[in-house]
């Protein structure tokens, strides 16, 4: 529980740093579909921390012109969590600065399945739908957003853990041994410096 509470401070520092560096989009992986397998008390704590964070930071997001978006199956969350999310989405709907995506009850594979289901629903209504990358992209949780340039993985893990599997096809990966609660603006800035030194070819010859 203490680790999760410390992680909230890391969230705030990361958002502030991203806004200061004028990033367009920041996506944080808050809770995966697989996380439901964790002990019930830990899940309860995480959801209460989420509600507490949304209530406490709502005015700050608005003041800093940061729109909030939620990626995942929000409808499967507890009603009290859904209410706090809805209030924050409404409050920040007019903001135009750094977009803050929070992946919540999220699964990269599930996102692709949901996109396919939405497309099939259009088919069922006899709408004209062509299956291609653009069509699938338009039905993802991140519709109308560009793919990430950089994915940062903390805690010494070197796996993607079902995160934005479609979107990160050409993203650069950066791994850190630092655990999330200890992740600071210095680590984020180092990740950006390292990213700036890489050559991105997108399949082209050097």
């Amino acid at each position: 529980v203490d680790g999760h509470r410390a992680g909230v401070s890391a969230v705030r520092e990361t958002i502030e740093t991203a806004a200061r560096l004028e990033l367009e989009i920041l996506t944080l992986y808050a809770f995966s579909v697989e996380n439901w397998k964790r002990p019930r008390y830990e899940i309860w704590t995480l959801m209460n921390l989420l509600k507490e964070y949304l209530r406490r930071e709502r005015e700050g997001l608005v003041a800093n012109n940061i729109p909030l978006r939620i990626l995942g199956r929000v409808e499967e969350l507890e009603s009290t969590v859904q209410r706090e999310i809805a209030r924050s989405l409404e409050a920040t709907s007019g903001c135009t600065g750094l977009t803050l995506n929070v992946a919540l009850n999220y699964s990269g594979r599930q996102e692709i399945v949901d996109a396919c289901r939405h497309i099939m629903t259009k088919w069922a209504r006899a709408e004209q739908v062509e299956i291609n990358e653009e069509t699938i992209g338009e039905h993802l949780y991140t519709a109308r957003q560009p793919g990430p340039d950089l994915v940062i993985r903390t805690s010494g893990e070197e796996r993607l853990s079902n995160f934005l599997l479609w979107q990160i096809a050409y993203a650069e990966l950066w791994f850190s041994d630092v655990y999330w609660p200890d992740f600071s603006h210095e680590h984020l800035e180092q990740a950006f410096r390292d990213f700036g030194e890489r050559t991105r070819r997108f399949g082209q010859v050097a």
Side-chain angles (χ1 to χ4, degrees), residues 8-201:
V8 172
S9 297
V11 167
R12 183 184 299 109
E13 185 169 356
T14 298
I15 294 172
E16 290 175 351
T17 303
R20 174 170 54 81
L21 296 176
E22 299 183 343
L23 267 67
E24 293 182 10
I25 300 171
L26 174 68
T27 303
L28 300 176
Y29 205 171
F31 191 86
S32 73
V33 169
E34 292 79 14
N35 287 156
W36 291 111
K37 300 173 185 177
R38 293 189 177 191
R40 184 176 299 178
Y41 179 71
E42 184 178 359
I43 294 171
W44 180 86
T45 299
L46 282 167
M47 292 302 159
N48 277 283
L49 280 173
L50 173 63
K51 290 188 289 186
E52 178 184 322
Y53 176 84
L54 290 170
R55 286 192 293 265
R56 188 177 64 241
E57 302 294 335
R58 191 174 294 137
E59 291 185 4
L61 292 175
V62 174
N64 288 284
N65 197 31
I66 298 175
L68 175 68
R69 288 188 61 175
I70 303 297
L71 314 182
R73 293 183 173 178
V74 177
E75 68 277 5
E76 296 178 356
L77 298 173
E78 179 189 330
S79 60
T80 58
V81 177
Q82 292 188 47
R83 281 198 295 272
E84 292 299 336
I85 290 172
R87 288 166 181 161
S88 293
L89 291 175
E90 181 179 2
T92 64
S93 61
C95 297
T96 58
L98 165 75
T99 295
L100 174 61
N101 291 332
V102 177
L104 187 60
N105 195 26
Y106 176 86
S107 156
R109 288 181 174 180
Q110 197 172 74
E111 178 179 18
I112 296 170
V113 169
D114 285 348
C116 292
R117 285 177 174 169
H118 291 152
I119 294 169
M120 290 175 66
T121 299
K122 290 186 174 182
W123 270 343
R125 295 198 301 258
E127 295 184 28
Q128 194 73 23
V129 180
E130 179 183 355
I131 296 297
N132 52 37
E133 290 187 16
E134 183 179 355
T135 302
I136 293 175
E138 290 172 352
H139 291 82
L140 296 172
Y141 304 146
T142 55
R144 295 177 297 281
Q145 292 187 4
D149 293 306
L150 176 65
V151 175
I152 298 173
R153 180 63 203 256
T154 61
S155 307
E157 305 289 355
E158 296 188 3
R159 60 175 183 269
L160 298 175
S161 296
N162 207 3
F163 180 61
L164 299 179
L165 298 180
W166 179 277
Q167 295 90 333
I168 64 173
Y170 292 102
E172 295 292 318
L173 308 180
W174 194 83
F175 300 101
S176 172
D177 290 331
V178 176
Y179 286 92
W180 175 249
D182 298 319
F183 195 79
S184 68
H185 68 92
E186 288 96 344
H187 301 112
L188 186 60
E189 290 165 358
Q190 182 61 54
F192 292 152
R193 284 194 293 270
D194 291 349
F195 171 78
E197 295 174 358
R198 299 185 185 184
T199 300
R200 306 181 73 196
R201 300 190 182 94

